[in-house]
Amino acid sequence: MRAIRVHECGGPEALVLDDIPVPSPGPGEALVRHTAIGLNFIDVYFRTGLYPSPTGLPFIPGSEGAGVVEAVGEGVTDLKPGDRVAYAGPPGSYAEKRLISAARLVPLPEAIDDRTAAAIMLKGMTTQYLLRQTFKVEPGQTILFHAAAGGVGLMAGQWARHLGATVIGTAGSDEKCALALENGYHHCINYRTENFVEKVKELTDGKGCDVVYDSIGKDTFPASLDCLKMRGMFVTFGNASGPIEGVNLGILAQKGSLYVTRPTLFSYIASREALLACAADLFDVVARGIVKISVNQTFPLEQAADAHRALEGRATTGATLLLP
């Protein structure tokens, strides 16, 4: 089978197309034939070595996919060959097929097609835990979401508006802001032409936001803290511009007794019960049309390097898929 592997961490050119043997499932495992593979910024972190591969080198990147079960190992009783499944899990999805723990696979309802599933498992469950668990958004609250036109951002705008929040986003162009406004945002700030802190204060009559969700990192810190009301929460869940470093925790007191958290999806879906509950909530809002999914870019599997260049160059909107 064909697979994209990283033999040495580095730039997009580190993504190499290899032919490797098809593995056989061991106890508790399933072999999944991918029909669609999700692209996420965490894939870049593994490729560059910012996040070390848990299996060493070489490794297959990719943390999200959908497909069909081809075989199951000993002890797997709730899945069978032919079942449609999807997952967000450990690296290994940039391949025509993969082995994965059956406990990490989520059966797909008829209302969710494979490409939608591959676009939402990591990004959609991230949106779920951010809005419904890390900080439970309630009617009347005001939120700020950076990267509003990204895969998580577009889902978050629709979902948060449905929850009754006033939703402010930031994006890097007028075109991306227009897209955000079409996907639930009440306001979107082009951070290349406007000071987003000043604009947030204007939009909130100086009160600030209840919560800021930030996947950008270095470039938006500490300005994001200045967008919060007293005792507001800063949720930093990504490092698209580089990690936040050298933080003086005293700044949280100075800016209004703020809360800060650095969550990851896998802490919220650590048990199978939590995984299925998170996925069920996501599937419900997608199936009911509350959150519409935009797959705006697709690349053949062998063009994974081009997909990474587009992602890192902030040239993508919505979800991006690799197709084996």
Side-chain angles (χ1 to χ4, degrees):
M1 69 176 191
R2 300 182 309 156
I4 297 290
R5 295 201 293 181
V6 174
H7 295 262
E8 184 175 348
C9 292
E13 68 281 355
L15 299 170
V16 177
L17 183 66
D18 289 338
D19 283 312
I20 62 173
V22 177
S24 297
E29 292 182 328
L31 177 66
V32 176
R33 173 178 57 82
H34 287 128
T35 53
I37 299 160
L39 183 77
N40 297 279
F41 224 98
I42 193 173
D43 306 347
V44 174
Y45 302 155
F46 279 110
R47 189 205 73 216
T48 61
L50 177 64
Y51 291 0
S53 165
T55 58
L57 295 169
F59 71 93
I60 300 171
S63 301
E64 181 179 46
V68 179
V69 175
E70 285 206 337
V72 297
E74 180 184 351
V76 178
T77 58
D78 55 349
L79 290 173
K80 63 184 185 303
D83 285 351
R84 295 173 58 243
V85 293
Y87 66 86
S93 68
Y94 285 20
E96 292 177 323
K97 302 179 182 184
R98 78 165 295 175
L99 284 182
I100 189 167
S101 168
R104 307 316 298 167
L105 293 172
V106 177
L108 289 177
E110 289 186 12
I112 307 295
D113 65 79
D114 289 17
R115 291 195 180 190
T116 297
I120 66 174
M121 291 305 292
L122 196 149
K123 291 176 283 291
M125 289 198 297
T126 294
T127 307
Q128 196 280 341
Y129 87 73
L130 289 173
L131 299 182
R132 307 308 295 141
Q133 298 186 70
T134 300
F135 182 98
K136 194 167 185 179
V137 174
E138 303 287 353
Q141 293 178 330
T142 300
I143 79 170
L144 175 65
F145 212 102
H146 290 301
V152 175
L154 292 181
M155 286 185 251
Q158 299 172 72
W159 203 335
R161 187 175 187 130
H162 171 73
L163 293 170
T166 297
V167 193
I168 304 172
T170 71
S173 70
D174 290 341
E175 292 76 17
K176 287 186 175 182
C177 277
L179 183 61
L181 293 172
E182 293 170 4
N183 284 271
Y185 287 84
H186 295 87
H187 312 280
C188 189
I189 304 161
N190 182 343
Y191 61 78
R192 297 189 191 278
T193 59
E194 293 187 281
N195 181 307
F196 70 81
V197 175
E198 293 178 358
K199 189 65 177 177
V200 165
K201 289 181 178 178
E202 176 188 326
L203 291 170
T204 61
D205 295 323
K207 297 175 183 176
C209 300
D210 295 275
V211 59
V212 174
Y213 295 104
D214 190 344
S215 62
I216 303 301
K218 181 180 177 181
D219 286 356
T220 47
F221 188 85
S224 287
L225 301 183
D226 294 321
C227 297
L228 287 165
K229 61 177 56 173
M230 188 176 295
R231 297 174 60 190
M233 179 178 284
F234 176 56
V235 182
T236 170
F237 67 102
N239 317 291
S241 66
I244 296 172
E245 297 177 338
V247 178
N248 170 15
L249 293 180
I251 197 174
L252 303 178
Q254 297 164 18
K255 293 183 180 293
S257 299
L258 303 179
Y259 296 88
V260 175
T261 184
R262 178 56 172 93
T264 67
L265 170 63
F266 300 107
S267 297
Y268 285 84
I269 57 171
S271 71
R272 181 151 183 81
E273 180 182 22
L275 168 65
L276 293 178
C278 184
D281 193 20
L282 171 64
F283 292 162
D284 176 64
V285 294
V286 172
R288 288 194 288 147
I290 293 166
V291 175
K292 295 178 173 62
I293 305 305
S294 301
V295 177
N296 293 337
Q297 300 83 208
T298 61
F299 293 82
L301 177 64
E302 60 269 21
Q303 293 179 16
D306 290 334
H308 274 229
R309 291 185 185 99
L311 184 64
E312 290 181 275
R314 302 188 187 183
T316 63
T317 58
T320 304
L321 298 180
L322 300 178
L323 302 178

